[in-house]
Amino acid sequence: MSNTKDIVAKLWNLCNVLRDDGITYHEYVTELTYLLFLKMAEETETENNIPKGYRWKDLVKKDGIEQLNYYRGMLLYLGTKGSGYVKEIYADATTSIRKPKNLRKLVESINELEWYSAREEGLGDLYEGLLEKNASEKKSGAGQYFTPRPLIESIVAVLKPQPGEIIQDPACGTGGFLIAAHRYISDNTGDLYDLSSKQQDFQRREALNGMELVPDTYRLALMNAMLHGIEGTISLGDTLSPEGKKLKNADLIMTNPPFGSKKGGEAVTRDDFTYYTNNKQLAFLEHVYRSLRKGGRAGIVVPDNVLFEGNIGVDIRRDLMNKCNLHTILRLPTGIFYAQGVKTNVLFFTRGMNEKDNTRMVWVYDMRTNMPSFGKRTVLTRDYFRSFEKCFGKKSDGTSKKNEGDWSWLKEGTLQTMENSRWRCFSRKWIADSKGDSLDISWLKDEGNGDTDNLPEPEVLAAEALNQLTEAVREIGELMKALGV
């Protein structure tokens, strides 16, 4: 994949041209996407959805102010007259490029890239690499919608997407979970050729479903999906509004919802929810477990406050543990989502066949204590997740833990020390009696040795403090409201 990395580096260097035109980090990939889509369609011979006269070759042969004016009109035309994904990708598209020489430089540089190598290694992987590069730049703020690929791959590996399943991401960002699920199924079915024609069509057109709130991020998701041969339903909308009800009941949900409160502080507007809160993570958690079919499974990334927040937070966690078997919690290390600077976890659960008492035991894997703070200095790789995956076991629904079905060996609270005590089991009764249904469970002592190289970045610490303060203020506000103050 060295050629792909080289091309990604060259594409990212084009951001210097964009910056010279006053374009911010946050706009880089969106601007490049408009151009890359046209070039990649030419390279993959998939220009049939692009109207004639508005293709890459038409842009290349123009120059100077004529090229810039043509490009501006081109974006408008494709956003209104294109078809399928093309119209969606260019909907309301505008360019911030003001200098004709900068557009010419971008067009020439993209044209001169080694596209043969890129095709061989996969244009989808090239685009994923560009998205990852953008997310790794703290200045871009892109980490808020980009989930680290090693984490996605680990979640997909343990949940094992299967052909024929409806797979959903209600906060799909750039489409990382959906792409990884499609790749997992493809890798295990000979690029889908082991499936019947009807099954192949289902996988490409119906299996994958998602929703994204931010228009620019939505464009990136559509292009990412297209380059990976996916034509599933990815919608622009707010999952926490009535729009979210149209997401199909799913066999598998994998997601990393946005952090923070709903804009304006208002509660969600879904009339099919039992609990209403302006905490987006709690609301997304309720959406996920309510959207699973019986026997359906999920993996959802949540910040620590979801595990311990009081009031409605307790109600939602109890409802989750009643309706689902919450079988595993993965405590993630710090620095993974450094744009927000919050501590995070992954909750794994399976929807029960009934509505009550589905959670009996919760296994917790602590990947945080005595681990480095990940970032540019210590890069997160898939290898860090291998031990967790081994402990999780071979079954995707959480039923392959040690001595499943016979809990006579379990002492209340903790048992079964493995992997340097990072892996322990807790009974539902112990969680209720000892923790008041808080899931913020830890037992390892932090053996910090004063090595400042592993301390989080200052902005991470500041963001974490701000997040904790925000949660405290919200809880005080809810308490005052309950007291009628």
Side-chain angles (χ1 to χ4, degrees), residues 464-477:
E464 183 177 330
L466 180 60
N467 181 73
Q468 292 176 355
L469 179 60
T470 301
E471 295 302 325
V473 169
R474 179 168 58 235
E475 288 199 16
I476 292 172

Side-chain angles (χ1 to χ4, degrees), residues 143 146 148 151 332-339 342 344 367 374-375 380 385:
F146 188 92
L151 173 58
L332 292 170
T334 58
I336 290 182
F337 301 104
Y338 46 76
V342 296
T344 53
M367 193 178 164
F374 291 96
L380 180 71
F385 292 92

Side-chain angles (χ1 to χ4, degrees), residues 235-337:
S235 304
L236 177 65
D238 182 359
T239 299
L240 302 183
S241 76
E243 294 173 300
K245 293 197 295 183
K246 68 183 180 183
L247 287 173
K248 296 177 181 178
N249 287 338
D251 300 292
L252 174 60
I253 300 178
M254 297 178 288
T255 188
N256 172 26
F259 302 154
S261 302
K262 270 189 70 67
K263 188 175 181 181
E266 73 273 14
V268 299
T269 55
R270 289 276 292 270
D271 60 11
D272 58 334
F273 279 9
T274 301
Y275 307 101
Y276 294 92
T277 173
N278 67 350
N279 182 314
K280 288 192 291 189
Q281 304 91 56
L282 286 170
F284 267 105
L285 179 58
E286 185 172 2
H287 164 84
V288 169
Y289 69 76
R290 287 182 176 276
S291 298
L292 286 174
R293 292 174 173 170
K294 290 182 178 180
R297 58 208 189 282
I300 175 173
V301 179
V302 296
D304 274 12
N305 71 77
V306 168
L307 304 187
F308 60 71
E309 186 161 320
N311 302 315
I312 289 178
V314 178
D315 294 334
I316 290 176
R317 288 193 298 272
R318 286 173 180 162
D319 196 38
L320 166 66
M321 288 187 281
N322 266 326
K323 288 183 169 61
C324 301
N325 174 21
L326 174 62
H327 51 79
T328 308
I329 299 175
L330 170 61
R331 288 167 53 87
L332 292 170
T334 58
I336 290 182
F337 301 104

Side-chain angles (χ1 to χ4, degrees), residues 384-451:
Y384 284 102
F385 292 92
R386 301 294 184 188
S387 177
F388 161 70
E389 293 171 20
K390 182 179 179 181
C391 290
F392 190 99
K394 296 181 180 179
K395 297 286 186 67
S396 63
D397 60 359
T399 61
S400 58
K401 306 295 193 298
K402 183 177 176 65
N403 293 341
E404 178 70 25
D406 174 16
W407 303 106
S408 59
W409 52 274
L410 182 67
K411 297 178 181 178
E412 285 298 336
T414 66
L415 196 73
Q416 196 50 37
T417 300
M418 292 189 290
E419 301 295 336
N420 296 320
S421 299
R422 292 192 182 277
W423 181 235
R424 290 196 178 186
C425 185
F426 302 83
S427 73
R428 176 70 184 91
K429 184 177 185 302
W430 182 87
I431 291 171
D433 294 345
S434 300
K435 299 289 292 183
D437 284 329
S438 167
L439 294 170
D440 187 24
I441 301 170
S442 61
W443 61 94
L444 291 175
K445 181 180 179 181
D446 194 338
E447 300 174 355
N449 57 9
D451 181 4

Side-chain angles (χ1 to χ4, degrees), residues 344-414:
T344 53
N345 314 266
V346 187
L347 305 184
F348 295 92
F349 48 87
T350 301
R351 184 70 190 245
M353 297 300 171
N354 53 56
E355 299 290 289
K356 195 170 176 61
D357 298 330
N358 279 289
T359 298
R360 298 177 60 196
M361 297 289 170
V362 179
W363 291 83
V364 182
Y365 189 95
D366 187 343
M367 193 178 164
R368 182 185 306 167
T369 308
N370 300 319
M371 291 286 285
S373 177
F374 291 96
K376 283 193 172 181
R377 289 180 295 189
T378 305
V379 179
L380 180 71
T381 65
R382 178 72 184 282
D383 287 340
Y384 284 102
F385 292 92
R386 301 294 184 188
S387 177
F388 161 70
E389 293 171 20
K390 182 179 179 181
C391 290
F392 190 99
K394 296 181 180 179
K395 297 286 186 67
S396 63
D397 60 359
T399 61
S400 58
K401 306 295 193 298
K402 183 177 176 65
N403 293 341
E404 178 70 25
D406 174 16
W407 303 106
S408 59
W409 52 274
L410 182 67
K411 297 178 181 178
E412 285 298 336
T414 66

